[in-house]
Amino acid sequence: MGPTASGKSALAMRLAERFPVEIISVDSAQVYRDMNVGTAKPGPEDRARVPHHLLDILPPTERYSAARFAGDAARLIAEIRGRGRLPLLVGGTMLYFKALTQGLNDLPGADAAVRAGIDARAARHGWPRLHEELAKVDPVTAARLQPADRQRIQRALEVYELSGRPLSALLDAPGREASATAFLHIALVPSERATLHARIAARFDAMLAAGLVDEVRSLRERHALTPEMPAMRAVGYRQAWQHLDGAIDLATLRDQGIFATRQLAKRQLTWLRRTPATTFDCLSASVQEDVIDCVARALPR
């Protein structure tokens, strides 16, 4: 586990050189086909060297959920162990890790009518106003969201309207249907936030150079997408969509994309602080060897 740009994929491939692993992606964007550049999806060479799972399993027009991930991952874990190999779960979608290891909280499902009402209020007053509305009923959730984060504001308000309880309280409640598998939790956490931010900027620039905007243009041509679909709400894709619509220029796309990625990393680190795990400094020159030693000690002899 770790924030974006912490070196999770490189570490996974290094572990695969030492242990008989198969990798299960824990990434809510890498499940989508044709989304490669902006998701930093493992390339053909890495996928040929080590089996990877839960990549390219859906078209970008569909939805994927934490509940579905938990079921898919549990099945894959059993299959991989049945082959005498080690399942290695790698990614930064923290809710997916929680759904698998701790079980799902009893959250209400999506309600189209409630969402339509929230969207209508946002169209009249703007998402910052709805963020203020959320702060009155769920200050804990509002404090961790940006006033323009419409997807998460919408969901938090929807949960409150349907259940009468704050999303933060429901997430803190004990989960259900947790996996019986024993996990070794390894977290990559930066000792210096500024260095992680520099990595994030360099990675986003590399994505732009590799054709992120062209990838989104192709997605729009090949699929019946809208900007409200989960795939197109992913960091980088949302900003590239706005650029293609003429709403922002390329320089603004870059600035907003890097800022959004930094906010994503901040949320991921907040999750990790609340998650019991063996923590390693992702900026350490010895991090890969240190993690290998940790895994070797944990495995049965």
Side-chain angles (χ1 to χ4, degrees), residues 134-174:
L134 177 63
K136 296 177 182 178
V137 298
D138 188 354
V140 173
T141 298
R144 65 178 179 82
L145 300 181
Q146 294 296 311
D149 192 345
R150 59 185 181 183
Q151 179 183 4
R152 292 179 177 84
I153 294 171
Q154 179 199 61
R155 178 55 178 159
L157 287 171
E158 176 188 38
V159 166
Y160 182 78
E161 292 186 23
L162 291 172
S163 69
R165 298 184 62 193
L167 174 62
S168 56
L170 293 175
L171 288 176
D172 285 340

Side-chain angles (χ1 to χ4, degrees), residues 1-4 8 26-28 90-95 97 264 268:
M1 304 177 289
T4 185
K8 299 183 294 296
V26 189
D27 189 295
S28 61
V90 182
T93 302
M94 301 304 165
L95 182 59
F97 279 115
L264 169 62
Q268 291 167 320

Side-chain angles (χ1 to χ4, degrees), residues 137-243:
V137 298
D138 188 354
V140 173
T141 298
R144 65 178 179 82
L145 300 181
Q146 294 296 311
D149 192 345
R150 59 185 181 183
Q151 179 183 4
R152 292 179 177 84
I153 294 171
Q154 179 199 61
R155 178 55 178 159
L157 287 171
E158 176 188 38
V159 166
Y160 182 78
E161 292 186 23
L162 291 172
S163 69
R165 298 184 62 193
L167 174 62
S168 56
L170 293 175
L171 288 176
D172 285 340
R176 52 184 174 82
E177 300 178 3
S179 172
T181 301
F183 294 94
L184 172 62
H185 299 266
I186 293 172
L188 300 182
V189 176
S191 54
E192 297 177 4
R193 191 73 62 92
T195 303
L196 180 68
H197 288 173
R199 281 190 180 187
I200 286 171
R203 187 165 105 154
F204 198 82
D205 283 339
M207 288 177 177
L208 289 174
L212 174 60
V213 173
D214 288 337
E215 180 172 84
V216 178
R217 182 183 290 110
S218 177
L219 286 165
R220 286 164 54 130
E221 292 171 352
R222 298 170 61 186
H223 301 278
L225 292 165
T226 71
E228 302 305 319
M229 289 179 176
M232 292 299 101
R233 288 178 172 179
V235 171
Y237 291 89
R238 181 169 66 249
Q239 290 77 23
W241 186 291
Q242 293 172 332
H243 172 65

Side-chain angles (χ1 to χ4, degrees), residues 60-168:
T61 51
E62 293 191 19
R63 292 178 177 269
Y64 196 66
S65 68
R68 185 170 173 182
F69 167 81
D72 288 344
R75 170 181 54 80
L76 287 165
I77 288 169
E79 292 174 358
I80 294 167
R81 294 177 71 182
R83 291 190 283 270
R85 300 177 67 82
L86 294 172
L88 174 60
L89 294 103
V90 182
T93 302
M94 301 304 165
L95 182 59
Y96 285 12
F97 279 115
K98 183 177 187 293
L100 175 64
T101 62
Q102 301 178 35
L104 291 168
N105 301 94
D106 194 14
L107 300 179
D111 186 295
V114 171
R115 289 191 172 188
I118 294 170
D119 287 342
R121 297 204 305 276
R124 290 194 303 270
H125 306 297
W127 286 102
R129 174 77 68 83
L130 268 68
H131 182 264
E132 295 175 2
E133 180 180 322
L134 177 63
K136 296 177 182 178
V137 298
D138 188 354
V140 173
T141 298
R144 65 178 179 82
L145 300 181
Q146 294 296 311
D149 192 345
R150 59 185 181 183
Q151 179 183 4
R152 292 179 177 84
I153 294 171
Q154 179 199 61
R155 178 55 178 159
L157 287 171
E158 176 188 38
V159 166
Y160 182 78
E161 292 186 23
L162 291 172
S163 69
R165 298 184 62 193
L167 174 62
S168 56

